[in-house]
Amino acid sequence: MNTTMRARWYVYAYCLYLLVPLYWLVNMSLRTRGDITAGLEVVPLNPTLGNFAEIFTNPVWFTALGNSLSYVVINTIISILVAVPAAYVFSRYRFLGDRQLFFWLLTNRMAPPAVFLLPFFQLYSAIGLFDTPLAVALAHCLFTVPLAVWILEGFISNVPVEIDEMARIDGHSFVFFFFRLFLPMIRGGIGVTVFFCFMFSWVELLLARTLTGSAAKPIAVVMTRTISASGIDWGVLAAAGVLTVLPGLVVVWFVRRHLVKGFAMGRV
Amino acid sequence: MQANTNKAWLGVLPVVLLVAFSAVIPLMTVVNYSVQDIFDVQTRVFVGFDWYRETLRDPRFVDALLRQILFSSLILVIEIPLGIVLARGLPREGRLLPLLLVLLAVPLLIPWNVVGMIWQIFARPDIGLLGAAVNAAGFDYNFTGVVTDAWVTLIAMDVWHWTSLVTLLTFAGLTAIPGACYQAAMLDDASRWQVFWYVEFPRIRSVLVIAVLLRLMDSLMIYTEPFVLTGGGPGNATTFLSQYLTSMAVGQFDVGPAAAFSVLYFLVILLLCWLFYTSVMGSSKGPDPYDEDGL
Amino acid sequence: MAWMAWTLPTALFFAAIAAGLVAMTVFELVRPTIPRRGLLPLVTSRGDRFFISLLVSAFIHAGWLGITELPVYMASIGCLVLGGLLMRFG
């Protein structure tokens, strides 16, 4: 069992590697601007919450956070709504062009957002959605919808077809079956899908930045602008960084039991 | 067995319309732009394939492509084996497991520009722990000024950011292996390496193919992290395809060349995607994908 | 639609692709494809071969533009021939 222990130590070493930069982020967020430039302190000697206070008292950060959350939520809702029926159909039926369609969806998950950058700006300006959270939400559908279909298809395929047939024999209508029997059965899968849609929309910056002006600016962009505005205030920047890490941490804690199952579908 | 009906198209119609709106219309537009010299919507000249000729012979494009290939190969070579080692080291159960899994998932949930920012403040020689430590150890380290330092930092960052994905995928694949397989190997007194090669590897192969696919594709579109960390520098030493394209499209507003670039970039992605799709479907469903129900 | 900056050649190009897809669909409905293994080292349906032909043509054109100064229609003719061969024997 010696080798097992050694492998375990690799994991601990890697976790340390994960934690040290994060620790440094927290460390920086607890120190003032002058304190940071004055010298290195492995443990903050005069920790302060001033940086966080600055963020919470400044409305720019608040609205930006609201903007980010609103497009992430809109995106997640749209993705789930359209992906559930599609995933059901992909899992249960064969139809003309199904494999080609699936492949085409997949290419959109893989395509670099930069490729779509040029026309997206024009497209959303033309239909009057530029600088709204809806524009970013729709743009992010480019990769979250294929992802959602992919994950859900795996979960739905794990539900035996016999269930569908049994419901039909019992005389239930398809609508009743789908909403009252079937959807509760894939609840876990929908949860995992929500998690991944949320995650990929939350971490994306390029499209979110390009499709917003001043009104719908997401929080990630506000962060990059703080750099250029008044020199670099590393403390506030780090504090904002800590705050953007937190939502992810909360979400991942809630889905931790389903996480491995979601990855087990092998489709993230 | 799956029922065969073309009525099923109704179910996928919303997805098709939505993705067509956000993918097909933009792609057609990119192709339109790529054959014209556009000053504004009214003033434009058809130039044929000139932008393609120019882009394909542009040394900066070729350099960015070569850098991209080097970067993607390096991170695949590091992250895939490392991810497998870590996944095999994780305990299969116990109170520690959820904690480790959550910790591993954390880097995946940090906005990409924040990842760049974290590494910037971590690696800077003046305020960063890493930068200061390396310099104190006697190495002259400065990732904004020296090419190798910039590359090492970028790769360290990408490993930090994405190895967890490989680990979690592999771990999910490993937990699906029935315990009986391991017991048989124990009886045969197999070494750990033999267990991996003969028991585990064949069963996690398809999950590994997906891990490679995702890491390859995502590394091919990397933009935000190097943009924040190194800004593509020093010089152009860490300017990859997406960043070069973005600087052309948004920075200089060279619509025509940027569009031609986009089309070529997309073609490469399409080819890789197709190669992987065919091989995944082939490996997970047996040699003949048409024999099986399902996709 | 002005922002899409349509030109006649690109419109024709996309119309041709769309027509190709429609034709393949109709053909498929009339006479469903039988996947087979030809010269290519994988089992392909008619649609797969169509896609492969298009993708190969795109790369041949890109290579042509990158390497030679010769007119593009020469590559196009080559691609048509190759595409036909792929559809038939691939």
Side-chain angles (χ1 to χ4, degrees):
Chain A
M1 281 295 113
N2 218 346
T3 43
T4 316
M5 278 322 288
R6 204 171 63 211
R8 189 66 46 83
W9 280 108
Y10 291 148
V11 176
Y12 296 148
Y14 184 76
C15 286
L16 195 68
Y17 177 63
L18 283 186
L19 279 172
V20 172
L22 286 175
Y23 166 74
W24 196 245
L25 181 75
V26 176
N27 177 333
M28 297 292 258
S29 74
L30 295 174
R31 296 162 62 191
T32 62
R33 192 174 182 170
D35 196 18
I36 290 169
T37 40
L40 218 60
E41 286 172 16
V42 177
V43 178
L45 297 174
N46 305 305
T48 164
L49 290 175
N51 298 318
F52 291 97
E54 191 174 329
I55 290 174
F56 283 118
T57 51
N58 189 340
V60 174
W61 289 95
F62 255 162
T63 40
L65 183 65
N67 289 333
S68 289
L69 285 177
S70 56
Y71 72 69
V72 170
V73 170
I74 297 172
N75 168 274
T76 308
I77 293 172
I78 298 178
S79 305
I80 297 288
L81 282 184
V82 299
V84 169
Y88 178 79
V89 160
F90 271 124
S91 156
R92 292 295 192 250
Y93 301 105
R94 301 238 40 191
F95 50 96
L96 185 64
D98 51 357
R99 286 175 49 258
Q100 286 77 6
L101 191 62
F102 207 71
F103 171 71
W104 174 59
L105 286 177
L106 194 69
T107 57
N108 291 307
R109 160 66 182 78
M110 304 301 173
V115 167
F116 297 99
L117 205 58
L118 266 181
F120 265 9
F121 179 76
Q122 313 282 353
L123 172 63
Y124 288 104
S125 303
I127 57 176
L129 282 178
F130 179 73
D131 203 11
T132 61
L134 187 58
V136 183
L138 284 175
H140 282 178
C141 278
L142 188 66
F143 46 85
T144 57
V145 167
L147 188 73
V149 173
W150 204 14
I151 298 173
L152 282 170
E153 200 266 335
F155 274 98
I156 292 174
S157 294
N158 278 1
V159 177
V161 189
E162 286 72 29
I163 306 237
D164 304 32
E165 280 152 17
M166 229 124 72
R168 205 175 307 137
I169 294 166
D170 288 351
H172 294 305
S173 72
F174 182 77
V175 175
F176 178 88
F177 156 74
F178 194 79
F179 287 97
R180 301 300 299 276
L181 300 175
F182 190 73
L183 283 187
M185 248 183 285
I186 55 162
R187 217 171 30 209
I190 293 179
V192 170
T193 315
V194 166
F195 167 73
F196 284 109
C197 290
F198 190 95
M199 159 182 159
F200 277 99
S201 186
W202 174 252
V203 297
E204 206 277 341
L205 175 74
L206 183 57
L207 292 176
R209 191 186 64 187
T210 313
L211 292 177
T212 52
S214 53
K217 217 187 304 176
I219 187 154
V221 174
V222 173
M223 286 182 64
T224 41
R225 299 234 168 116
T226 324
I227 302 174
S228 51
S230 57
I232 304 175
D233 190 339
W234 293 111
V236 175
L237 203 59
V242 171
L243 291 178
T244 56
V245 174
L246 289 181
L249 209 57
V250 172
V251 175
V252 78
W253 184 256
F254 276 115
V255 296
R256 67 186 184 282
R257 292 186 195 292
H258 295 290
L259 196 65
V260 169
K261 209 173 159 201
F263 279 101
M265 309 271 76
R267 290 165 169 198
V268 178
Chain B
M1 260 334 274
Q2 290 168 306
N4 199 334
T5 167
N6 288 333
K7 258 191 286 183
W9 265 97
L10 284 177
V12 290
L13 198 61
V15 166
V16 172
L17 290 179
L18 186 65
V19 180
F21 171 75
S22 51
V24 175
I25 293 180
L27 264 185
M28 294 207 291
T29 312
V30 168
V31 173
N32 287 344
Y33 289 176
S34 71
V35 292
Q36 301 178 75
D37 197 356
I38 298 181
F39 304 99
D40 58 66
V41 178
Q42 307 305 329
T43 332
R44 49 200 173 88
V45 188
F46 183 78
V47 295
F49 288 109
D50 284 4
W51 296 131
Y52 289 93
R53 271 206 190 86
E54 193 174 289
T55 306
L56 285 163
R57 286 152 204 232
D58 180 359
R60 284 172 307 167
F61 169 75
V62 178
D63 286 352
L65 182 66
L66 292 177
R67 274 195 293 270
Q68 182 76 67
I69 294 169
L70 178 64
F71 177 77
S72 294
S73 330
L74 279 175
I75 62 137
L76 279 181
V77 164
I78 297 173
E79 288 175 14
I80 299 294
L82 181 61
I84 296 172
V85 167
L86 293 174
R88 299 187 74 219
L90 279 173
R92 291 295 167 85
E93 64 232 329
R95 302 238 306 270
L96 201 55
L97 179 63
L99 201 67
L100 289 173
L101 290 179
V102 167
L103 181 60
L104 282 171
V106 166
L108 303 175
L109 284 149
I110 301 175
W112 295 346
N113 63 326
V114 178
V115 172
M117 191 265 281
I118 289 174
W119 275 83
Q120 199 184 18
I121 60 174
F122 184 55
R124 273 175 74 103
D126 53 346
I127 61 166
L129 187 62
L130 177 71
V134 173
N135 276 316
F139 298 98
D140 196 12
Y141 167 83
N142 178 7
F143 73 88
T144 50
V146 184
V147 174
T148 37
D149 292 356
W151 271 79
V152 169
T153 316
L154 258 186
I155 286 170
M157 176 178 71
D158 204 81
V159 168
W160 184 87
H161 191 183
W162 286 113
T163 306
S164 303
L165 183 73
V166 183
T167 306
L168 291 172
L169 276 169
T170 315
F171 182 70
L174 287 176
T175 51
I177 298 176
C181 298
Y182 286 104
Q183 279 152 16
M186 290 259 277
L187 288 178
D188 289 346
D189 212 14
S191 73
R192 214 173 138 74
W193 171 250
Q194 284 168 326
V195 170
F196 174 70
W197 192 245
Y198 294 106
V199 179
E200 294 175 335
F201 182 73
R203 289 176 178 82
I204 59 170
R205 206 180 54 183
S206 61
V207 113
L208 281 180
V209 172
I210 289 171
V212 172
L213 168 71
L214 287 173
R215 280 316 299 131
L216 177 65
M217 292 306 181
D218 287 347
S219 72
L220 287 177
M221 61 170 94
I222 189 168
Y223 166 78
T224 315
E225 300 100 309
F227 173 74
V228 175
L229 185 66
T230 63
N236 278 328
T238 53
T239 303
F240 301 116
L241 286 177
S242 272
Q243 196 176 346
Y244 184 51
L245 174 57
T246 310
S247 70
M248 256 175 22
V250 180
Q252 306 152 24
F253 222 71
D254 282 338
V255 176
F261 187 137
S262 299
V263 173
L264 293 170
Y265 196 176
F266 187 76
L267 278 178
V268 172
I269 298 294
L270 198 60
L271 175 70
L272 289 173
C273 215
W274 182 79
L275 286 176
F276 269 98
Y277 186 72
T278 326
S279 67
V280 169
M281 292 311 144
S283 68
S284 63
K285 299 268 183 180
D288 180 1
Y290 295 89
D291 268 349
E292 304 283 334
D293 53 349
L295 287 154
Chain C
M1 285 308 229
W3 62 273
M4 285 183 80
W6 282 102
T7 62
L8 187 63
T10 51
L12 287 176
F13 171 71
F14 283 115
I17 299 230
L21 285 177
V22 170
M24 294 298 287
T25 310
V26 172
F27 197 21
E28 182 71 37
L29 284 172
V30 176
R31 197 192 296 171
T33 171
I34 300 151
R36 62 174 161 82
R37 199 189 165 100
L39 291 177
L40 294 171
L42 67 164
V43 181
T44 53
S45 69
R46 208 186 292 131
D48 294 336
R49 291 193 292 276
F50 183 60
F51 176 77
I52 295 170
S53 311
L54 286 181
L55 198 58
V56 168
S57 306
F59 274 94
I60 290 177
H61 277 95
W64 192 270
L65 289 167
I67 295 164
T68 70
E69 289 294 340
L70 297 168
V72 184
Y73 72 86
M74 296 167 78
S76 308
I77 293 171
C79 285
L80 276 179
V81 174
L82 186 68
L85 290 175
L86 275 175
M87 291 297 285
R88 175 67 188 82
F89 300 107

